[in-house]
Amino acid sequence: MIAGVRRAIPPYVLLRDEGLELIEARTDQLLKEVGVEFRGDRRALELWRDAGADVNGPRVRFDPGHVRSIIDASAPRSFVQHARNPERSVLIGENNVVFAPAYGMPFVRDLDRGRRYGSLDDFENLIKLTYSTSWLHHSGGTVCEPVDLPVNKRHLDMVYAHLRWTDKPFMGSVTAPERAEDSVEMARIAFGPDFVDEHCVVMGNINMNSPLVYDQAMSGSLRAYAAANQCPVVVPFVLGGATAPVTMAGAITQALAEVMVGVALGQLERPGSPAVFGNFLTSVDLRSGSPTFGTPEPALGSFVAGQLARRVGLPIRCSGGFTSSKVPDAQAMQETVNSLNTAVLCGANFVLQAAGWLEGALTISYEKLMLDADHLGAMHTFLRGLALDDNAFAMDAFAEVGPGSHFFGAAHTLANYETAFYESELADVQSFENWLDAGELDSVVRANHKWKQLLADYEPPPLDDAVDEALQDFMARRKQSMPDIWA
């Protein structure tokens, strides 16, 4: 069994082949004339030099087609990320779509306590909520920063939380190569070293230092995952007008160059290791410099990114529920739906940031996590497309009902009653009078009740006692080996 939702609708095609070929030609020009810098990573420079690239100090330049040939030679078009519970393993690629929650937020928010720095308690709660909804197939990674723990040690508690409180697939740390290696080592404890050497069980979200720079933390973490046959998700940080050109064609060209170089580096480290083509493309308010979300220009860029990923032959990650709003209000949901629809329609295989995002990635909201997850349920129905079998055409119902009557009591309606339409768990569809009598609850209050009920009902998945003990022993030894660092 593979978790996720199988796409039965085609991705949106914005550009014809000649437009895509022009972008690829400009990408080759950018890699040849400008190149990419690898700062502080001697091993990466050695790999590129041995592969025949032009290495001059930290700057690496590439002949046209060189980077693409490395990817074509060994990068898999799809792969399975295995979960502790095999029934929750996910296919990354082909026509499968996997939804994961928000990632990287320093703040959390709920209706009762407002906005505050994240804690380990919050991290564990958000992991449990993600585990408790069937509309999120993946546990994600740094769903919030537990700032009550030292910076250099908190990754251990986060990986442990993913392994202990859920049995869905997860992402490890990328903030330093040694933290990536710790994440892989904890996966080896949970899954077994031989299994990990042959199968993907953990992914790392590698953010470029756009424009056109990999620092040692990112390239080193990328190589650590690839060397262990685990998956780097290579993501340019493209803010049009800030970290990339203000024009979408230029931003897309830069993003393609950055992704392909990162994926190729992973293949040089270990040919055949899995990788994901990451897409994070948005605009900024050129008056203030603040990122903007749910806007039309990045949507067009994401459609093209999906086409380019399919041409390169890699699964694509897109981000989903983007918003600049500070609370889960109408602005939040409008921008989120615009952004998520773009991810779904561009052909995304892995949708990170699909639920919970607020305030331009500064905050994750308990209530918005619930609202977004509910919308993802509707997306499952949308992605499955339109059935055209005998039951769908309902000719027996037409014969039974005839002209001028209604279908409420028809045998066909009763037979399909429970599955005919997606039923939201949070939307209110009762009459005004009934809504009034029930307390006039708006959607945020209903979401607040929902997450509290899920946590009250939560039961952890089983974890072998010996594995749990080994994980805790590894964490204790690693924590004792270094002083606390708080900044």
Side-chain angles (χ1 to χ4, degrees), residues 140-162:
T142 306
V143 290
C144 73
E145 285 284 350
V147 299
D148 52 339
L149 301 177
V151 171
N152 60 327
K153 299 179 181 180
R154 64 180 63 154
H155 66 286
L156 299 164
D157 296 272
M158 290 191 282
V159 172
Y160 176 77
H162 283 295

Side-chain angles (χ1 to χ4, degrees), residues 120-197:
L120 182 60
D121 283 344
D122 287 310
F123 188 94
E124 292 177 345
N125 282 342
L126 294 164
I127 292 296
K128 292 172 183 177
L129 289 172
T130 299
Y131 171 73
S132 299
T133 175
S134 59
W135 306 128
L136 288 162
H137 318 112
H138 197 283
S139 192
T142 306
V143 290
C144 73
E145 285 284 350
V147 299
D148 52 339
L149 301 177
V151 171
N152 60 327
K153 299 179 181 180
R154 64 180 63 154
H155 66 286
L156 299 164
D157 296 272
M158 290 191 282
V159 172
Y160 176 77
H162 283 295
L163 290 169
R164 179 64 189 89
W165 305 119
T166 179
D167 58 7
K168 293 183 178 182
F170 71 100
M171 306 181 84
S173 177
V174 297
T175 51
E178 61 270 20
R179 297 170 198 168
E181 291 166 358
D182 285 343
S183 302
V184 172
E185 188 57 34
M186 293 179 74
R188 291 187 179 113
I189 293 170
F191 289 86
D194 292 340
F195 189 89
V196 171
D197 189 57

